[in-house]
Amino acid sequence: CVAVPEAVVSTQSTGKSAAKCPALKYLFLSLAVLAIGYQVQHNYEDCHENDNFYFWHYSRHILDQLPKRSILLTSGDFSTNTFRYHTIGEEYRTDVMVMDMQFMQAYWFYIMLMPINFNDVSFPGLYKPGKESKYPFYNLKKFLDENFDRYPIYMCVAVPEAVVSTQSTFFFFF
């Protein structure tokens, strides 16, 4: 396999696979690297986010508004990770406890995160019906009832069903 056309002809006529012809394998590898390099160079200016601080400012502004020792309930990657970046990564407003409502439904949250990060917060649990009945289950209304007098509680989430079900007792700003 000296040249590419001969390599293609020799693989077709002899039945050898392209993996057995080193010149062809390196040609495909080189073309792939060149194609990726071209895409990166061609699209970098349109796609780079070096000066995008919208999420940084968004979460910093909300954290600045919260009183000391607040609980901030979040839901999903966007809100949870932007707030955790400030509180854990930058050690800014470490007094604010950021809790992902989806994590609070997981059994491993009660085992690993709750005792370490939220040991002062009360987590009253219901139990899931069915075969997983031994695992504690998150209930927003009971959580708010238990902690409302102890901590200022704020939510930065889309409106989940759990919030709608607690509107008769608590007032929410949407």
Side-chain angles (χ1 to χ4, degrees):
C1 295
V2 177
V4 175
E6 292 177 18
V8 173
V9 171
S10 68
T11 58
Q12 290 176 352
S13 62
T14 62
K16 293 181 182 178
S17 67
K20 293 182 181 177
C21 184
L24 192 57
K25 181 170 66 172
Y26 291 122
L27 174 68
F28 289 142
L29 181 62
S30 300
L31 288 174
V33 169
L34 285 173
I36 292 170
Y38 173 76
Q39 289 294 323
V40 169
Q41 178 189 14
H42 183 70
N43 295 317
Y44 181 77
E45 285 300 317
D46 293 335
C47 296
H48 80 87
E49 297 289 333
N50 293 346
D51 56 351
N52 182 349
F53 291 97
Y54 296 115
F55 299 134
W56 188 92
H57 289 295
Y58 165 78
S59 57
R60 179 66 72 115
H61 177 72
I62 290 177
L63 287 172
D64 286 342
Q65 305 302 315
L66 298 177
K68 294 214 178 280
R69 292 188 40 84
S70 297
I71 294 175
L72 179 61
L73 298 175
T74 60
S75 180
D77 292 339
F78 164 68
S79 59
T80 301
N81 292 333
T82 54
F83 293 114
R84 284 203 179 133
Y85 170 76
H86 285 292
T87 58
I88 296 171
E90 293 189 349
E91 295 183 1
Y92 179 77
R93 292 300 311 266
T94 56
D95 62 308
V96 175
M97 292 174 274
V98 179
M99 297 181 190
D100 188 336
M101 291 171 57
Q102 293 170 343
F103 285 178
M104 292 166 67
Q105 296 179 29
Y107 176 66
W108 55 265
F109 176 84
Y110 289 88
I111 300 286
M112 297 187 317
L113 292 180
M114 190 180 74
I116 297 168
N117 298 327
F118 312 114
N119 57 355
D120 293 338
V121 179
S122 176
F123 288 91
L126 291 177
Y127 290 87
K128 280 188 174 179
K131 66 179 182 177
E132 297 180 5
S133 62
K134 63 182 177 180
Y135 301 131
F137 184 68
Y138 164 75
N139 180 304
L140 181 62
K141 182 168 179 347
K142 286 193 174 195
F143 175 81
L144 293 174
D145 286 340
E146 286 285 323
N147 294 292
F148 189 75
D149 294 332
R150 298 172 49 204
Y151 298 100
I153 301 174
Y154 295 88
M155 300 175 83
C156 185
V157 296
V159 183
E161 291 178 21
V163 173
V164 174
S165 67
T166 58
Q167 283 183 354
S168 62
T169 310
F170 296 97
F171 184 73
F172 296 98
F173 292 101
F174 296 109

PDB file of all heavy atoms in Angstrom, residues 104-107 110 123-129 132-140 142:
ATOM      1  N   MET A 104     -33.289  15.451  46.993  1.00  0.00           N
ATOM      2  CA  MET A 104     -33.950  15.166  48.263  1.00  0.00           C
ATOM      3  C   MET A 104     -34.908  13.983  48.157  1.00  0.00           C
ATOM      4  O   MET A 104     -35.360  13.461  49.165  1.00  0.00           O
ATOM      5  CB  MET A 104     -34.679  16.409  48.759  1.00  0.00           C
ATOM      6  CG  MET A 104     -33.720  17.522  49.173  1.00  0.00           C
ATOM      7  SD  MET A 104     -34.503  19.128  49.374  1.00  0.00           S
ATOM      8  CE  MET A 104     -35.534  18.854  50.780  1.00  0.00           C
ATOM      9  N   GLN A 105     -35.215  13.556  46.957  1.00  0.00           N
ATOM     10  CA  GLN A 105     -36.072  12.402  46.758  1.00  0.00           C
ATOM     11  C   GLN A 105     -35.280  11.099  46.687  1.00  0.00           C
ATOM     12  O   GLN A 105     -35.859  10.033  46.653  1.00  0.00           O
ATOM     13  CB  GLN A 105     -36.871  12.551  45.466  1.00  0.00           C
ATOM     14  CG  GLN A 105     -37.825  13.714  45.498  1.00  0.00           C
ATOM     15  CD  GLN A 105     -38.580  13.853  44.199  1.00  0.00           C
ATOM     16  OE1 GLN A 105     -38.822  12.886  43.499  1.00  0.00           O
ATOM     17  NE2 GLN A 105     -38.963  15.068  43.879  1.00  0.00           N
ATOM     18  N   ALA A 106     -33.976  11.196  46.641  1.00  0.00           N
ATOM     19  CA  ALA A 106     -33.142  10.011  46.458  1.00  0.00           C
ATOM     20  C   ALA A 106     -32.697   9.439  47.808  1.00  0.00           C
ATOM     21  O   ALA A 106     -32.374  10.180  48.738  1.00  0.00           O
ATOM     22  CB  ALA A 106     -31.918  10.365  45.620  1.00  0.00           C
ATOM     23  N   TYR A 107     -32.647   8.157  47.883  1.00  0.00           N
ATOM     24  CA  TYR A 107     -32.232   7.479  49.110  1.00  0.00           C
ATOM     25  C   TYR A 107     -30.799   7.844  49.477  1.00  0.00           C
ATOM     26  O   TYR A 107     -30.487   8.079  50.637  1.00  0.00           O
ATOM     27  CB  TYR A 107     -32.384   5.967  48.934  1.00  0.00           C
ATOM     28  CG  TYR A 107     -31.885   5.178  50.109  1.00  0.00           C
ATOM     29  CD1 TYR A 107     -32.528   5.268  51.344  1.00  0.00           C
ATOM     30  CD2 TYR A 107     -30.777   4.352  50.002  1.00  0.00           C
ATOM     31  CE1 TYR A 107     -32.081   4.551  52.432  1.00  0.00           C
ATOM     32  CE2 TYR A 107     -30.326   3.629  51.084  1.00  0.00           C
ATOM     33  CZ  TYR A 107     -30.982   3.730  52.300  1.00  0.00           C
ATOM     34  OH  TYR A 107     -30.528   3.031  53.373  1.00  0.00           O
ATOM     35  N   TYR A 110     -30.172  10.904  51.715  1.00  0.00           N
ATOM     36  CA  TYR A 110     -30.336  10.717  53.157  1.00  0.00           C
ATOM     37  C   TYR A 110     -29.131  10.028  53.778  1.00  0.00           C
ATOM     38  O   TYR A 110     -28.813  10.249  54.930  1.00  0.00           O
ATOM     39  CB  TYR A 110     -31.608   9.896  53.444  1.00  0.00           C
ATOM     40  CG  TYR A 110     -32.861  10.668  53.179  1.00  0.00           C
ATOM     41  CD1 TYR A 110     -33.442  10.678  51.924  1.00  0.00           C
ATOM     42  CD2 TYR A 110     -33.451  11.422  54.181  1.00  0.00           C
ATOM     43  CE1 TYR A 110     -34.584  11.405  51.674  1.00  0.00           C
ATOM     44  CE2 TYR A 110     -34.596  12.143  53.947  1.00  0.00           C
ATOM     45  CZ  TYR A 110     -35.157  12.134  52.697  1.00  0.00           C
ATOM     46  OH  TYR A 110     -36.289  12.866  52.451  1.00  0.00           O
ATOM     47  N   PHE A 123     -35.582  16.743  58.225  1.00  0.00           N
ATOM     48  CA  PHE A 123     -36.136  16.088  57.048  1.00  0.00           C
ATOM     49  C   PHE A 123     -37.169  15.061  57.475  1.00  0.00           C
ATOM     50  O   PHE A 123     -36.862  13.890  57.613  1.00  0.00           O
ATOM     51  CB  PHE A 123     -35.037  15.383  56.242  1.00  0.00           C
ATOM     52  CG  PHE A 123     -34.144  16.333  55.514  1.00  0.00           C
ATOM     53  CD1 PHE A 123     -32.994  16.799  56.113  1.00  0.00           C
ATOM     54  CD2 PHE A 123     -34.457  16.751  54.239  1.00  0.00           C
ATOM     55  CE1 PHE A 123     -32.167  17.673  55.448  1.00  0.00           C
ATOM     56  CE2 PHE A 123     -33.629  17.624  53.569  1.00  0.00           C
ATOM     57  CZ  PHE A 123     -32.485  18.091  54.169  1.00  0.00           C
ATOM     58  N   PRO A 124     -38.411  15.510  57.710  1.00  0.00           N
ATOM     59  CA  PRO A 124     -39.439  14.532  58.058  1.00  0.00           C
ATOM     60  C   PRO A 124     -39.738  13.684  56.835  1.00  0.00           C
ATOM     61  O   PRO A 124     -39.874  14.197  55.736  1.00  0.00           O
ATOM     62  CB  PRO A 124     -40.636  15.396  58.434  1.00  0.00           C
ATOM     63  CG  PRO A 124     -40.420  16.658  57.681  1.00  0.00           C
ATOM     64  CD  PRO A 124     -38.931  16.853  57.574  1.00  0.00           C
ATOM     65  N   GLY A 125     -39.787  12.404  57.008  1.00  0.00           N
ATOM     66  CA  GLY A 125     -39.968  11.542  55.850  1.00  0.00           C
ATOM     67  C   GLY A 125     -41.262  10.779  55.883  1.00  0.00           C
ATOM     68  O   GLY A 125     -41.722  10.352  56.934  1.00  0.00           O
ATOM     69  N   LEU A 126     -41.837  10.663  54.746  1.00  0.00           N
ATOM     70  CA  LEU A 126     -42.884   9.687  54.543  1.00  0.00           C
ATOM     71  C   LEU A 126     -42.175   8.462  53.997  1.00  0.00           C
ATOM     72  O   LEU A 126     -40.983   8.490  53.715  1.00  0.00           O
ATOM     73  CB  LEU A 126     -43.897  10.191  53.519  1.00  0.00           C
ATOM     74  CG  LEU A 126     -44.759  11.353  53.943  1.00  0.00           C
ATOM     75  CD1 LEU A 126     -45.650  11.779  52.787  1.00  0.00           C
ATOM     76  CD2 LEU A 126     -45.635  10.953  55.120  1.00  0.00           C
ATOM     77  N   TYR A 127     -42.872   7.412  53.819  1.00  0.00           N
ATOM     78  CA  TYR A 127     -42.253   6.233  53.243  1.00  0.00           C
ATOM     79  C   TYR A 127     -42.949   5.888  51.951  1.00  0.00           C
ATOM     80  O   TYR A 127     -44.167   5.955  51.847  1.00  0.00           O
ATOM     81  CB  TYR A 127     -42.292   5.069  54.236  1.00  0.00           C
ATOM     82  CG  TYR A 127     -41.368   5.325  55.378  1.00  0.00           C
ATOM     83  CD1 TYR A 127     -41.794   6.029  56.494  1.00  0.00           C
ATOM     84  CD2 TYR A 127     -40.050   4.922  55.318  1.00  0.00           C
ATOM     85  CE1 TYR A 127     -40.941   6.300  57.541  1.00  0.00           C
ATOM     86  CE2 TYR A 127     -39.175   5.187  56.359  1.00  0.00           C
ATOM     87  CZ  TYR A 127     -39.628   5.873  57.465  1.00  0.00           C
ATOM     88  OH  TYR A 127     -38.769   6.145  58.475  1.00  0.00           O
ATOM     89  N   LYS A 128     -42.141   5.558  50.953  1.00  0.00           N
ATOM     90  CA  LYS A 128     -42.702   5.209  49.660  1.00  0.00           C
ATOM     91  C   LYS A 128     -43.499   3.924  49.786  1.00  0.00           C
ATOM     92  O   LYS A 128     -43.052   2.985  50.424  1.00  0.00           O
ATOM     93  CB  LYS A 128     -41.581   4.977  48.636  1.00  0.00           C
ATOM     94  CG  LYS A 128     -41.016   6.219  48.049  1.00  0.00           C
ATOM     95  CD  LYS A 128     -40.069   5.846  46.933  1.00  0.00           C
ATOM     96  CE  LYS A 128     -39.584   7.052  46.201  1.00  0.00           C
ATOM     97  NZ  LYS A 128     -38.664   6.727  45.132  1.00  0.00           N
ATOM     98  N   PRO A 129     -44.648   3.890  49.181  1.00  0.00           N
ATOM     99  CA  PRO A 129     -45.394   2.630  49.206  1.00  0.00           C
ATOM    100  C   PRO A 129     -44.742   1.610  48.281  1.00  0.00           C
ATOM    101  O   PRO A 129     -44.031   1.967  47.358  1.00  0.00           O
ATOM    102  CB  PRO A 129     -46.774   3.035  48.692  1.00  0.00           C
ATOM    103  CG  PRO A 129     -46.529   4.258  47.886  1.00  0.00           C
ATOM    104  CD  PRO A 129     -45.339   4.950  48.500  1.00  0.00           C
ATOM    105  N   GLU A 132     -40.134  -0.569  48.063  1.00  0.00           N
ATOM    106  CA  GLU A 132     -39.080   0.292  48.597  1.00  0.00           C
ATOM    107  C   GLU A 132     -39.557   1.029  49.850  1.00  0.00           C
ATOM    108  O   GLU A 132     -39.076   2.107  50.161  1.00  0.00           O
ATOM    109  CB  GLU A 132     -38.639   1.303  47.542  1.00  0.00           C
ATOM    110  CG  GLU A 132     -38.017   0.679  46.319  1.00  0.00           C
ATOM    111  CD  GLU A 132     -37.597   1.713  45.298  1.00  0.00           C
ATOM    112  OE1 GLU A 132     -37.711   2.913  45.576  1.00  0.00           O
ATOM    113  OE2 GLU A 132     -37.167   1.314  44.212  1.00  0.00           O
ATOM    114  N   SER A 133     -40.459   0.483  50.591  1.00  0.00           N
ATOM    115  CA  SER A 133     -41.092   1.181  51.702  1.00  0.00           C
ATOM    116  C   SER A 133     -40.134   1.498  52.842  1.00  0.00           C
ATOM    117  O   SER A 133     -40.416   2.338  53.659  1.00  0.00           O
ATOM    118  CB  SER A 133     -42.267   0.371  52.225  1.00  0.00           C
ATOM    119  OG  SER A 133     -41.819  -0.866  52.709  1.00  0.00           O
ATOM    120  N   LYS A 134     -38.983   0.857  52.906  1.00  0.00           N
ATOM    121  CA  LYS A 134     -38.055   1.140  53.993  1.00  0.00           C
ATOM    122  C   LYS A 134     -37.257   2.429  53.773  1.00  0.00           C
ATOM    123  O   LYS A 134     -36.593   2.909  54.665  1.00  0.00           O
ATOM    124  CB  LYS A 134     -37.095  -0.032  54.187  1.00  0.00           C
ATOM    125  CG  LYS A 134     -36.209  -0.308  53.001  1.00  0.00           C
ATOM    126  CD  LYS A 134     -35.332  -1.516  53.252  1.00  0.00           C
ATOM    127  CE  LYS A 134     -34.504  -1.796  52.014  1.00  0.00           C
ATOM    128  NZ  LYS A 134     -33.645  -2.934  52.181  1.00  0.00           N
ATOM    129  N   TYR A 135     -37.322   3.008  52.561  1.00  0.00           N
ATOM    130  CA  TYR A 135     -36.554   4.203  52.268  1.00  0.00           C
ATOM    131  C   TYR A 135     -37.356   5.461  52.576  1.00  0.00           C
ATOM    132  O   TYR A 135     -38.529   5.547  52.234  1.00  0.00           O
ATOM    133  CB  TYR A 135     -36.116   4.226  50.800  1.00  0.00           C
ATOM    134  CG  TYR A 135     -35.281   3.050  50.409  1.00  0.00           C
ATOM    135  CD1 TYR A 135     -35.557   2.322  49.268  1.00  0.00           C
ATOM    136  CD2 TYR A 135     -34.203   2.658  51.195  1.00  0.00           C
ATOM    137  CE1 TYR A 135     -34.792   1.240  48.907  1.00  0.00           C
ATOM    138  CE2 TYR A 135     -33.433   1.580  50.846  1.00  0.00           C
ATOM    139  CZ  TYR A 135     -33.728   0.872  49.705  1.00  0.00           C
ATOM    140  OH  TYR A 135     -32.967  -0.189  49.362  1.00  0.00           O
ATOM    141  N   PRO A 136     -36.720   6.469  53.188  1.00  0.00           N
ATOM    142  CA  PRO A 136     -37.448   7.716  53.463  1.00  0.00           C
ATOM    143  C   PRO A 136     -37.803   8.419  52.155  1.00  0.00           C
ATOM    144  O   PRO A 136     -37.102   8.285  51.171  1.00  0.00           O
ATOM    145  CB  PRO A 136     -36.457   8.531  54.282  1.00  0.00           C
ATOM    146  CG  PRO A 136     -35.142   7.914  54.068  1.00  0.00           C
ATOM    147  CD  PRO A 136     -35.355   6.495  53.654  1.00  0.00           C
ATOM    148  N   PHE A 137     -38.865   9.150  52.192  1.00  0.00           N
ATOM    149  CA  PHE A 137     -39.343   9.838  50.999  1.00  0.00           C
ATOM    150  C   PHE A 137     -39.567  11.302  51.319  1.00  0.00           C
ATOM    151  O   PHE A 137     -40.069  11.644  52.370  1.00  0.00           O
ATOM    152  CB  PHE A 137     -40.634   9.176  50.509  1.00  0.00           C
ATOM    153  CG  PHE A 137     -41.149   9.741  49.228  1.00  0.00           C
ATOM    154  CD1 PHE A 137     -40.461   9.544  48.057  1.00  0.00           C
ATOM    155  CD2 PHE A 137     -42.317  10.471  49.198  1.00  0.00           C
ATOM    156  CE1 PHE A 137     -40.939  10.059  46.861  1.00  0.00           C
ATOM    157  CE2 PHE A 137     -42.799  10.984  48.013  1.00  0.00           C
ATOM    158  CZ  PHE A 137     -42.106  10.779  46.846  1.00  0.00           C
ATOM    159  N   TYR A 138     -39.209  12.148  50.418  1.00  0.00           N
ATOM    160  CA  TYR A 138     -39.277  13.592  50.558  1.00  0.00           C
ATOM    161  C   TYR A 138     -40.712  14.086  50.403  1.00  0.00           C
ATOM    162  O   TYR A 138     -41.429  13.692  49.501  1.00  0.00           O
ATOM    163  CB  TYR A 138     -38.363  14.170  49.484  1.00  0.00           C
ATOM    164  CG  TYR A 138     -38.561  15.614  49.191  1.00  0.00           C
ATOM    165  CD1 TYR A 138     -38.121  16.582  50.052  1.00  0.00           C
ATOM    166  CD2 TYR A 138     -39.176  16.002  48.024  1.00  0.00           C
ATOM    167  CE1 TYR A 138     -38.293  17.907  49.764  1.00  0.00           C
ATOM    168  CE2 TYR A 138     -39.342  17.326  47.730  1.00  0.00           C
ATOM    169  CZ  TYR A 138     -38.900  18.273  48.600  1.00  0.00           C
ATOM    170  OH  TYR A 138     -39.071  19.580  48.314  1.00  0.00           O
ATOM    171  N   ASN A 139     -41.126  14.965  51.295  1.00  0.00           N
ATOM    172  CA  ASN A 139     -42.445  15.578  51.229  1.00  0.00           C
ATOM    173  C   ASN A 139     -42.268  17.066  51.497  1.00  0.00           C
ATOM    174  O   ASN A 139     -41.868  17.459  52.590  1.00  0.00           O
ATOM    175  CB  ASN A 139     -43.356  14.938  52.279  1.00  0.00           C
ATOM    176  CG  ASN A 139     -44.737  15.515  52.261  1.00  0.00           C
ATOM    177  OD1 ASN A 139     -44.925  16.721  52.400  1.00  0.00           O
ATOM    178  ND2 ASN A 139     -45.713  14.653  52.114  1.00  0.00           N
ATOM    179  N   LEU A 140     -42.548  17.898  50.505  1.00  0.00           N
ATOM    180  CA  LEU A 140     -42.284  19.335  50.609  1.00  0.00           C
ATOM    181  C   LEU A 140     -43.090  19.995  51.719  1.00  0.00           C
ATOM    182  O   LEU A 140     -42.561  20.806  52.476  1.00  0.00           O
ATOM    183  CB  LEU A 140     -42.558  20.027  49.275  1.00  0.00           C
ATOM    184  CG  LEU A 140     -42.295  21.531  49.257  1.00  0.00           C
ATOM    185  CD1 LEU A 140     -40.830  21.823  49.536  1.00  0.00           C
ATOM    186  CD2 LEU A 140     -42.710  22.139  47.946  1.00  0.00           C
ATOM    187  N   LYS A 142     -44.300  18.764  54.555  1.00  0.00           N
ATOM    188  CA  LYS A 142     -43.752  18.443  55.870  1.00  0.00           C
ATOM    189  C   LYS A 142     -42.382  19.081  56.073  1.00  0.00           C
ATOM    190  O   LYS A 142     -42.053  19.514  57.166  1.00  0.00           O
ATOM    191  CB  LYS A 142     -43.675  16.936  56.070  1.00  0.00           C
ATOM    192  CG  LYS A 142     -45.024  16.321  56.315  1.00  0.00           C
ATOM    193  CD  LYS A 142     -44.902  14.907  56.808  1.00  0.00           C
ATOM    194  CE  LYS A 142     -46.278  14.408  57.173  1.00  0.00           C
ATOM    195  NZ  LYS A 142     -46.240  13.211  57.971  1.00  0.00           N
TER     196      LYS A 142
END
